[in-house]
Amino acid sequence: MKLREGFILRQVAGENVVLSVSADVDLNGMITLNDTGCTLWKRLEQEATLEDLTAALLAEYEVDAQTAQAAAAQFVEKLKELDLLA
C-alpha cells in the first residue's frame, strides 16, 4: 500500500501536519499526526506492507511486536476511512 498523491507532511509550530497540495483532493483543513503516525506516514510515502509498518515501529520505539502491529493496523484503517491510500 502507498499514500495517495497530493499530500505533504510538514512540521508547523512543532506539530506534524498533513496538508493537501492538490485541487483534486478534498481535505477540509489538515491532519495532525503524533510521532508514531509521522513514522508510519513517512514509511507509507513509498510502497509498504503492514509488516513493513510494524517493523518501522519496532525499529523506532520500545514496544512489543503485538503492540506495533496493532498500532500500524489501526493507522492503516484510519487512512482507508479518510481515503488517503492509493
Side-chain angles (χ1 to χ4, degrees):
M1 69 194 106
K2 187 175 177 178
L3 295 168
R4 285 181 50 202
E5 297 291 325
F7 298 99
I8 58 170
L9 174 64
R10 293 287 186 258
Q11 194 160 49
V12 178
E15 297 288 329
N16 301 307
V17 296
V18 175
L19 304 166
S20 172
V21 293
S22 172
D24 296 338
V25 177
D26 184 22
L27 179 63
N28 294 324
M30 61 185 171
I31 298 170
T32 304
L33 300 176
N34 62 17
D35 290 339
T36 303
C38 186
T39 297
L40 295 172
W41 184 276
K42 288 177 181 177
R43 184 62 189 92
L44 283 166
E45 288 176 337
Q46 298 179 15
E47 191 74 25
T49 64
L50 187 57
E51 291 78 21
D52 295 331
L53 298 177
T54 301
L57 292 179
L58 289 170
E60 188 71 24
Y61 302 100
E62 292 183 26
V63 296
D64 60 81
Q66 185 178 8
T67 301
Q69 184 177 22
Q74 183 179 13
F75 188 76
V76 167
E77 284 306 311
K78 187 63 174 177
L79 292 180
K80 286 179 181 177
E81 287 176 23
L82 296 171
D83 195 29
L84 298 179
L85 294 177

